[in-house]
Amino acid sequence: MIVALAGGVGAAKLLVGLSKILKPEELTVIVNTGDDIQLHGLHVSPDLDIAMYSLAGIADETKGWGIQGDTFHCLEALNRFTGSEWFNLGDKDLATHIFRTNLLRSGATLTEATQEIACALSVKSKILPMTDDKFETRVTTKQGTIHFEEYMVKKGAKDEVLGVEFYGSDKAQPAEGVLEAIENAERVVVCPSNPVVSISTILSVKRIRQALQHAKVPKVAVSPIIAGSPVKGPADKLLRGLGYEVSAFGVAELYMDFLGTFVIDVADASEKKRIEKLGIKVELAETMMRNLDDKIRLAKAVLDA
Amino acid sequence: MIVALAGGVGAAKLLVGLSKILKPEELTVIVNTGDDIQLHGLHVSPDLDIAMYSLAGIADETKGWGIQGDTFHCLEALNRFTGSEWFNLGDKDLATHIFRTNLLRSGATLTEATQEIACALSVKSKILPMTDDKFETRVTTKQGTIHFEEYMVKKGAKDEVLGVEFYGSDKAQPAEGVLEAIENAERVVVCPSNPVVSISTILSVKRIRQALQHAKVPKVAVSPIIAGSPVKGPADKLLRGLGYEVSAFGVAELYMDFLGTFVIDVADASEKKRIEKLGIKVELAETMMRNLDDKIRLAKAVLDA
């Protein structure tokens, strides 16, 4: 079984690539929940949803979030009640949040709710939230400390990052099945997601990090930074804000305590030696995923690394 | 100030008529909440909504529920999660339920939530739920006892009614403003709504019934039964199930302890004397509301009665 650690869009692309090579039941995905947010009383799990929608083949790949061809009629009507909505919630997408919230309120864990959603969407790979516990990624800028999604979506990730807080990480336990998945994995894949707010969140759950350190299997990550820039999103601001270099090397430093192999872009060949000095094997690949072929090619590279 | 007691579609039509004659602030509507139901964890208030949507001019008059031109994309997606949905929730309509539920969960009363919704919809008449307390109309048939909306929508109101239960009526208190509205009314209008599950629910809140009995103002009802049949809905099955005659007279018996004048259809002229024997004045009118002119004409008759 292949276990992937996943955040948002970058992960979703590699997951699609992996899903074309592996049988669904050969893939387990452990997903960041630091982005989870309550909106209008609904529990929204952006990364769980993009992972499931992508594997279900219904994700809106152009937007990078939500469901293909979705409409926004409910959101428009909500605007009338609440003023201006900053977070986009499509009508079909809302069904997921309504269903999930109702399950959670009825006493289900996020893991259980996710399983029901995945099942209804015919996603046969196992999708696991990293934790069922309260966990929230907060970003500090000059204006103060806000939820990561507010920083990202409401504020457009424009402000310089002064700090990142993983609220709840001290108490968060791995969700049911997470440790077992890592212990039984043939290989662990760290997707090319934001190293700070997608992957470090997962790693901040202590027992997950320990399980990764102890797992005696190939542990392969793909760099989300190509030639000093993130493919998408504010990874540069976040790395810089935490004092890390905005480079494949900077990401490698975050993963060095457990990582075996780092797949970096051919454009970053010059960083190979520096990264190897951290004790990490380096492989070069074309890591930009523009189409399905790219995704499958990179997935193969990751499974072969 | 005119105070109207209202249920669903029939009431909504008369309210539109009244709104064309009165200034918005001259009309207060006390609305049945016995139909309120939790669906997917959302608090749906069918009668409050149809009243507000109608006064806002956005009601779907063809369907008799929901918002004009609404779509059902969220519901279609929900079907994927829950199987077959029996209750129709449009995408725009859902915004109302999401907003209301969130307010209620944050500690607002139904009265407060309703005020916020009405305000956002630019409804300037006061819309009051009959009670903020838990109240649920249940219908007993040979198959058992179910929520009224389940009987009505899921089962299509096909089964014979053996009994009706107003769950919560023993403890329900009038919502804030309801008694004051009745005490300060120039006239009380009982809309042509289902006499059992729309009006008797309101009357089952003891202090509302007492306030109506004590109010020394014209109290005028419009019969929802014309020539022995309800204009719409299962009032016949419900009246019969409670042992009442399916006629204007049968309805009059339900209101006789407080009603001054009963406006019945010209088709029911033959019942005039029987109803007058109950101590109720009777006026004849064309009570079928097919278009806006009908609504205004009936509203005038009610205000003049």
Side-chain angles (χ1 to χ4, degrees):
Chain A
M1 206 217 348
I2 306 297
V3 170
L5 308 193
V9 186
K13 287 181 178 176
L14 186 60
L15 291 176
V16 168
L18 289 168
S19 75
K20 301 296 177 191
I21 302 172
L22 303 167
K23 287 183 196 149
E25 55 277 15
E26 291 174 337
L27 177 63
T28 292
V29 191
I30 298 171
V31 183
N32 168 46
T33 59
D35 294 13
D36 284 25
I37 187 165
Q38 300 284 325
L39 293 165
H40 310 291
L42 299 177
H43 185 106
V44 180
S45 296
D47 285 353
L48 281 169
D49 289 346
I50 188 70
M52 288 190 282
Y53 294 165
S54 296
L55 289 174
I58 60 170
D60 188 323
E61 297 189 2
T62 314
K63 289 206 192 93
W65 49 264
I67 295 175
Q68 286 162 19
D70 211 350
T71 49
F72 294 86
H73 301 154
C74 183
L75 194 76
E76 287 158 22
L78 263 174
N79 276 337
R80 193 160 178 180
F81 292 125
T82 59
S84 169
E85 288 307 315
W86 56 274
F87 198 93
N88 279 308
L89 296 168
D91 295 320
K92 290 181 193 172
D93 189 25
L94 262 170
T96 309
H97 313 317
I98 291 172
F99 183 64
R100 172 189 294 121
T101 305
N102 198 26
L103 288 173
L104 293 175
R105 287 242 164 78
S106 311
T109 61
L110 185 57
T111 304
E112 290 162 347
T114 302
Q115 227 167 337
E116 285 213 37
I117 294 166
C119 177
L121 296 176
S122 306
V123 172
K124 294 195 179 76
S125 295
K126 197 174 270 180
I127 311 294
L128 298 172
M130 64 190 203
T131 183
D132 287 329
D133 298 325
K134 171 89 186 148
F135 191 109
E136 191 176 300
T137 303
R138 295 174 180 170
V139 175
T140 301
T141 69
K142 270 183 192 164
Q143 268 89 56
T145 300
I146 52 179
H147 190 289
F148 169 71
E149 288 291 338
E150 277 185 278
Y151 170 73
M152 179 74 184
V153 182
K154 196 175 190 175
K155 307 282 184 186
K158 272 177 295 197
D159 296 324
E160 200 192 329
V161 173
L162 303 178
V164 176
E165 185 193 346
F166 297 150
Y167 178 85
S169 67
D170 51 334
K171 287 183 190 152
Q173 293 302 315
E176 200 192 320
V178 165
L179 295 184
E180 293 82 337
I182 295 171
E183 282 157 17
N184 298 321
E186 292 159 42
R187 173 176 294 253
V188 173
V189 174
V190 181
C191 292
S193 292
N194 189 310
V196 179
V197 295
S198 295
I199 303 299
S200 287
T201 41
I202 303 177
L203 301 175
S204 78
V205 180
K206 281 186 210 77
R207 293 174 65 205
I208 296 182
R209 182 156 220 146
Q210 287 166 355
L212 288 168
Q213 289 165 345
H214 295 148
K216 300 200 184 319
V217 293
K219 289 169 276 189
V220 184
V222 178
S223 174
I225 305 286
I226 301 181
S229 297
V231 175
K232 199 172 184 245
D236 50 349
K237 287 199 178 64
L238 289 156
L239 282 168
R240 210 176 289 127
L242 295 189
Y244 286 92
E245 196 181 292
V246 182
S247 66
F249 176 81
V251 178
E253 283 190 305
L254 284 165
Y255 303 163
M256 61 183 286
D257 60 306
F258 70 89
L259 195 64
T261 305
F262 202 23
V263 177
I264 67 173
D265 198 81
V266 288
D268 295 316
S270 64
E271 294 188 46
K272 192 169 188 286
K273 282 194 182 159
R274 287 174 71 210
I275 297 171
E276 284 172 343
K277 278 189 190 152
L278 298 174
I280 298 171
K281 224 180 123 219
V282 172
E283 300 221 358
L284 300 176
E286 298 271 2
T287 62
M288 191 70 93
M289 293 176 281
R290 288 184 189 84
N291 53 44
L292 183 58
D293 283 347
D294 289 348
K295 293 172 195 172
I296 295 174
R297 197 185 329 111
L298 185 57
K300 272 187 188 144
V302 165
L303 293 178
D304 293 342
Chain B
M1 205 216 352
I2 305 299
V3 170
L5 308 193
V9 187
K13 289 181 178 178
L14 186 62
L15 292 175
V16 168
L18 289 167
S19 76
K20 302 297 176 189
I21 302 171
L22 303 167
K23 286 182 197 151
E25 55 277 16
E26 291 173 338
L27 177 63
T28 292
V29 191
I30 298 170
V31 183
N32 168 46
T33 59
D35 294 13
D36 285 25
I37 186 165
Q38 300 284 325
L39 292 165
H40 310 290
L42 299 176
H43 185 107
V44 179
S45 297
D47 284 354
L48 282 168
D49 289 345
I50 189 70
M52 289 191 283
Y53 294 164
S54 297
L55 289 173
I58 60 170
D60 188 321
E61 297 189 2
T62 314
K63 288 207 194 93
W65 50 264
I67 294 176
Q68 286 160 21
D70 210 350
T71 48
F72 294 86
H73 301 156
C74 183
L75 194 77
E76 286 158 23
L78 263 175
N79 277 337
R80 192 158 178 181
F81 293 124
T82 59
S84 169
E85 288 307 314
W86 55 274
F87 198 92
N88 278 308
L89 296 168
D91 295 321
K92 292 181 192 172
D93 189 26
L94 261 171
T96 309
H97 313 316
I98 291 172
F99 183 65
R100 173 190 293 122
T101 305
N102 199 25
L103 288 173
L104 294 175
R105 286 243 163 78
S106 311
T109 62
L110 185 58
T111 303
E112 290 162 347
T114 303
Q115 228 166 337
E116 285 214 39
I117 294 166
C119 178
L121 297 176
S122 306
V123 172
K124 294 196 178 77
S125 295
K126 196 173 271 180
I127 310 293
L128 299 172
M130 63 189 205
T131 183
D132 286 329
D133 298 325
K134 172 89 186 148
F135 191 109
E136 190 177 300
T137 303
R138 294 174 182 172
V139 175
T140 302
T141 69
K142 271 183 192 164
Q143 268 90 54
T145 299
I146 51 179
H147 190 289
F148 170 70
E149 288 291 337
E150 277 186 278
Y151 170 73
M152 179 72 184
V153 181
K154 196 176 191 175
K155 305 282 184 186
K158 273 177 296 197
D159 296 324
E160 199 192 329
V161 173
L162 302 178
V164 176
E165 185 193 348
F166 297 149
Y167 178 84
S169 67
D170 51 335
K171 287 183 191 154
Q173 293 301 315
E176 201 191 318
V178 165
L179 295 183
E180 295 80 337
I182 295 170
E183 282 157 16
N184 297 322
E186 292 160 42
R187 174 177 293 254
V188 173
V189 174
V190 181
C191 292
S193 293
N194 189 310
V196 179
V197 295
S198 295
I199 303 300
S200 287
T201 41
I202 304 177
L203 300 175
S204 78
V205 179
K206 282 187 208 77
R207 294 174 64 206
I208 297 183
R209 181 155 222 146
Q210 287 164 356
L212 288 168
Q213 289 165 344
H214 295 147
K216 299 203 183 317
V217 293
K219 290 169 277 189
V220 185
V222 178
S223 174
I225 304 286
I226 301 180
S229 296
V231 175
K232 200 174 183 246
D236 49 349
K237 287 200 178 63
L238 289 156
L239 281 168
R240 210 176 289 127
L242 296 189
Y244 286 91
E245 195 180 291
V246 183
S247 66
F249 176 82
V251 178
E253 282 189 306
L254 284 166
Y255 303 163
M256 62 183 285
D257 60 307
F258 70 90
L259 195 65
T261 304
F262 202 25
V263 178
I264 66 173
D265 198 81
V266 288
D268 296 315
S270 63
E271 295 188 45
K272 191 169 189 287
K273 281 195 182 160
R274 287 174 70 210
I275 296 171
E276 284 173 342
K277 277 190 191 153
L278 299 173
I280 299 170
K281 224 180 122 219
V282 172
E283 299 221 359
L284 299 177
E286 299 271 3
T287 61
M288 191 69 94
M289 293 178 281
R290 289 185 188 83
N291 53 43
L292 184 58
D293 284 348
D294 289 348
K295 294 172 193 171
I296 295 173
R297 197 186 329 111
L298 184 57
K300 272 188 187 143
V302 165
L303 293 177
D304 293 343

